[in-house]
Amino acid sequence: MLSPGDLAPSPTLRSLAGERHALGVDDGPRLIAFVEVDCPTCRLTLPYLNRLAGLLGERCERLVLVSQDGPEETRALVARYELAVPVLLDEALEASRAFDPPSVPALFLVGADGRIGSAHVGFHKADLNATAGALLASLGLSATPVADAHDGAPESKPGCASRHLSIATATGGAASPEPLDLRPERGARASRIEVSDSEDAYEYCIRAGFSGFLPVVPPTVDRVEAFVAAAGLAPERVIGLVPPCYGAATVEKIAANAVMAGCGPEHMEVLIPIVRAACDERFNLHGVQATTNSATPLVILSGPAAARLGFVSGAGVFGNVARANSTVGRALQLIMANLGGARPGEIDMATLAHPGRFSYCIAENHAASPWEPLHVDLGFAPDESTVTLFAAAAPMEVSEHTARKAEGVLRTIAATLSVVFSWRRCGRVDAVVVVCPEHAATIAADGFSKRDARDFLFENTGVPLRAFEHEGTEGTQSRDGLTEVLIDGERHYRKFADPYQIQLVVAGGTAGKFSAVIGGWLAGPKGSESVTYPIRKEMR
Amino acid sequence: MTTLVNPLDERAEASGVPAPRLERLEGSTLALLDISKPGGSHFLDRMAELLVSRYGVARIVRETKPTYTKPAPPALVGKLGFVDGVIEALAD
């Protein structure tokens, strides 16, 4: 592949209109993007290139798309993505051979001197922003990022082999018939269902399988339209594809499910980032929905938007305490079943499940917390608000009414932490600790910052080695990678691989010394990673 | 009359045609795909023995998914394109 500093070749290619154009630079810098029409990663990249074209405005000819496919398929791609950039065809793969990228998409930024300034393959938000920023800056335009870290797309994704390296292409192979869109921008409008006056719409919804077996508010056209209007987005806009069956969560479908769950229109503001987070690849809703484990997403709101939207963070936070908590959590569950397709006993194979499957949504009690909020802990500004999704088991309550010191409270919590997932399972586990205000006050009064408290829990949560003498029990198959430590003078394996596998959230009422430990599913990239999305107007 | 907005995924259910059944195992090449749950290898080791000794399978190819929590990566599926059949095994 050509590298920065190399002279960019200038083969002549045909446009879709059949005109011949030299690819090379004549009058300024240019970004050349090689794509294949059926490469999912190329299709993931195109909306960002379109955004760059919008930022380039009248200078959009500085961005050139080079298609490695024929005019017919390329024309369909241009129409599908409403591409507003010049497109050239490299059917003979002459340009592809000259630039020689191993895979596509491949972005070559060529300077005014005709030399390569940067070369990147695959989808990387950071590279896209850097390349787009450099092009915009070189043209005297503002270097606005084109890829938002929290738009629901992954940070990076490898591309497909460039066609000039593919044997199939050399023998006349071409695009596959049904290319995969990993992140379509628009989906189909929802159909309308006429329910006759002789039938109760409320009963119809239950019979039709819309409801998760609790009564629902019938999603009438008026109600759904009011929710779509509140979201301020087009009804056909796709927010995410919901695993495991990858139904499109359009704004309209999210609205219909939010209506059914009993939400108010104002809750669309928070449901949009919740659905984005649920469909984030790192969260792995595919596994969470299909596993025999009981895990289901716990939604944690942090920041000022929670109170503004009516979420309760105080007494009874896990219970039926507020419309927002109860209905937003339920809306996500309905979306997961109705659009994700995971129905109990079919694709959802949970052996037991748990009551969080009806609704599992809490807010952080900032007023009663001595520490910085969760969203600030995760790098967001104090005035921002976020939703965090965690693949969660049911809460295990921890009563500690006797300890008057931080260490006493934390040791009791650590004992419960030591059994999350399964007693001897260590390393690939994670947990949320919901610290009640009274416990948080006791811990903070001893000078413990939130980080100190988390570090203490990390250091003091373990499973005694003697537990591993019970051969043939869960966790004894392999002790590879486990860390041995002394806790209270006894040899233990550390329960958690990293302090950040324990998240602390302050919530609950100000009376009563009950905290809760919530075990996760399988932690990390091979299981489910907790994800946090901002509640922001600009990302909508 | 009440008009409702359909809240479900409305795509037609994907329908697939199963691959043709193998007429005989003797002389075939089979892949045993371990989904990487603990204990799966014990089951597959025995399966491999029996397939060769009792059914005359000519060659066994062993592959393992990187994690049982996610679908097999396309590259792994592609690697198994040459075999006559795949047995995917789950065990705990």
Side-chain angles (χ1 to χ4, degrees):
Chain A
M1 179 167 75
L2 294 183
S3 305
D6 289 342
L7 205 56
S10 183
T12 300
L13 302 176
R14 282 188 193 281
S15 71
L16 281 170
E19 297 156 350
R20 295 181 71 78
H21 293 271
L23 185 57
V25 174
D26 42 11
D27 56 350
R30 180 171 288 187
L31 177 59
I32 300 169
F34 287 85
V35 297
E36 291 169 13
V37 302
D38 63 347
C39 163
T41 308
C42 293
R43 297 169 83 93
L44 181 65
T45 306
L46 290 173
Y48 299 97
L49 296 180
N50 237 1
R51 203 161 301 143
L52 174 59
L55 294 169
L56 288 166
E58 291 174 356
R59 315 289 303 277
C60 76
E61 84 287 351
R62 297 287 108 205
L63 169 60
V64 179
L65 206 68
V66 177
S67 167
Q68 296 185 326
D69 294 293
E72 197 179 319
E73 303 97 309
T74 304
R75 207 166 275 123
L77 184 80
V78 168
R80 170 81 179 76
Y81 286 90
E82 297 177 354
L83 295 173
V85 297
V87 179
L88 297 177
L89 303 172
D90 188 28
E91 279 184 285
L93 303 174
E94 183 190 353
S96 300
R97 284 192 197 87
F99 282 79
D100 197 27
S103 61
V104 289
L107 303 180
F108 292 93
L109 183 63
V110 182
D113 59 357
R115 292 189 181 277
I116 306 282
S118 68
H120 299 288
V121 294
F123 174 82
H124 300 274
K125 283 183 176 172
D127 291 347
L128 265 171
N129 282 334
T131 306
L135 178 64
L136 290 163
S138 70
L139 295 167
L141 298 167
S142 168
T144 310
V146 293
D148 181 342
H150 297 102
D151 63 2
E155 277 301 300
S156 66
K157 204 163 220 10
C160 298
S162 177
R163 288 218 193 282
H164 77 288
L165 301 173
S166 151
I167 296 164
T169 303
T171 56
S176 52
E178 289 180 36
L180 178 66
D181 277 326
L182 295 171
R183 230 176 134 256
E185 294 208 311
R186 281 204 300 272
R189 289 295 303 270
S191 66
R192 283 4 187 195
I193 300 164
E194 304 288 354
V195 180
S196 71
D197 291 337
S198 63
E199 191 164 19
D200 186 330
Y202 177 89
E203 290 295 335
Y204 173 85
C205 290
I206 292 181
R207 265 206 317 282
F210 294 171
S211 72
F213 310 109
L214 277 179
V216 292
V217 177
T220 58
V221 172
D222 288 352
R223 287 181 180 133
V224 173
E225 283 179 354
F227 277 50
V228 171
L233 296 168
E236 65 272 22
R237 168 89 173 269
V238 176
I239 300 304
L241 301 179
V242 188
C245 294
Y246 298 93
T250 60
V251 172
E252 186 179 38
K253 292 282 188 187
I254 294 170
N257 283 283
V259 167
M260 291 201 301
C263 295
E266 69 277 16
H267 296 137
M268 288 297 284
E269 181 179 346
V270 73
L271 275 166
I272 299 292
I274 286 173
V275 172
R276 281 215 171 97
C279 299
D280 185 309
E281 287 184 3
R282 292 169 299 173
F283 188 67
N284 188 14
L285 187 61
H286 185 110
V288 175
Q289 289 244 67
T291 178
T292 46
N293 187 274
S294 65
T296 201
L298 166 66
V299 179
I300 306 167
L301 280 98
S302 182
R308 174 169 59 77
L309 294 169
F311 289 86
V312 164
S313 60
V317 69
F318 281 103
N320 48 348
V321 71
R323 179 184 184 181
N325 300 44
S326 296
T327 64
V328 168
R330 187 179 180 211
L332 174 59
Q333 291 291 330
L334 290 177
I335 288 164
M336 284 161 48
N338 289 339
L339 302 176
R343 292 181 184 276
E346 296 175 17
I347 291 173
D348 170 1
M349 295 302 289
T351 310
L352 295 175
H354 67 73
R357 299 239 178 165
F358 292 102
S359 180
Y360 209 10
C361 178
I362 64 169
E364 197 175 27
N365 192 342
H366 302 312
S369 172
W371 300 313
E372 71 281 7
L374 177 66
H375 69 284
V376 174
D377 215 16
L378 295 170
F380 292 88
D383 60 349
E384 286 190 286
S385 298
T386 58
V387 293
T388 294
L389 263 62
F390 178 71
M396 292 188 282
E397 197 168 69
V398 183
S399 171
E400 177 50 86
H401 285 76
T402 309
R404 293 289 178 269
K405 305 298 287 178
E407 293 196 6
V409 173
L410 290 168
R411 282 186 198 285
T412 303
I413 293 173
T416 302
L417 274 172
S418 72
V419 298
V420 298
F421 200 93
S422 182
W423 184 28
R424 298 176 205 81
R425 279 286 194 106
C426 298
R428 206 176 142 198
V429 290
D430 54 5
V432 167
V433 179
V434 176
V435 185
C436 70
E438 285 206 63
H439 280 165
T442 302
I443 296 166
D446 277 350
F448 277 65
S449 67
K450 196 181 196 183
R451 183 175 177 169
D452 295 336
R454 177 169 45 214
D455 288 349
F456 186 93
L457 290 172
F458 170 71
E459 297 288 345
N460 289 280
T461 304
V463 180
L465 263 63
R466 59 184 154 77
F468 288 78
E469 290 163 11
H470 312 144
E471 286 298 329
T473 52
E474 182 159 342
T476 58
Q477 297 100 321
S478 170
R479 304 191 206 177
D480 295 345
L482 302 189
T483 307
E484 196 181 314
V485 289
L486 280 181
I487 299 174
D488 294 335
E490 186 179 359
R491 293 167 69 198
H492 285 70
Y493 288 122
R494 262 201 213 299
K495 182 73 178 183
F496 299 94
D498 187 284
Y500 286 90
Q501 286 171 333
I502 307 167
Q503 292 196 62
L504 266 55
V505 176
V506 176
T510 50
K513 297 185 177 184
F514 297 100
S515 289
V517 165
I518 301 166
W521 185 46
L522 298 154
K526 287 190 171 181
S528 175
E529 296 174 78
S530 173
V531 291
T532 298
Y533 273 66
I535 304 167
R536 273 184 197 153
K537 279 208 159 44
E538 59 268 24
M539 66 173 283
R540 298 161 62 199
Chain B
M1 183 81 78
T2 307
T3 306
L4 304 181
V5 176
N6 190 331
L8 304 176
D9 176 17
E10 297 182 55
R11 293 169 304 164
E13 279 189 27
S15 59
V17 181
R21 303 296 89 182
L22 296 181
E23 288 180 7
R24 53 207 289 266
L25 291 174
E26 199 178 344
S28 64
T29 298
L30 292 184
L32 299 183
L33 179 58
D34 187 340
I35 74 162
S36 82
K37 277 210 164 191
S41 60
H42 302 303
F43 172 66
L44 289 176
D45 289 348
R46 184 67 179 139
M47 283 284 289
E49 277 174 30
L50 291 174
L51 286 166
V52 172
S53 64
R54 194 178 290 178
Y55 298 100
V57 169
R59 185 181 166 203
I60 299 282
V61 179
R62 298 285 289 267
E63 291 288 349
T64 303
K65 275 173 56 170
T67 170
Y68 55 84
T69 71
K70 298 181 182 181
L76 176 58
V77 176
K79 267 172 78 176
L80 298 176
F82 73 97
V83 302
D84 299 309
V86 177
I87 298 173
E88 184 168 358
L90 177 152
D92 264 319

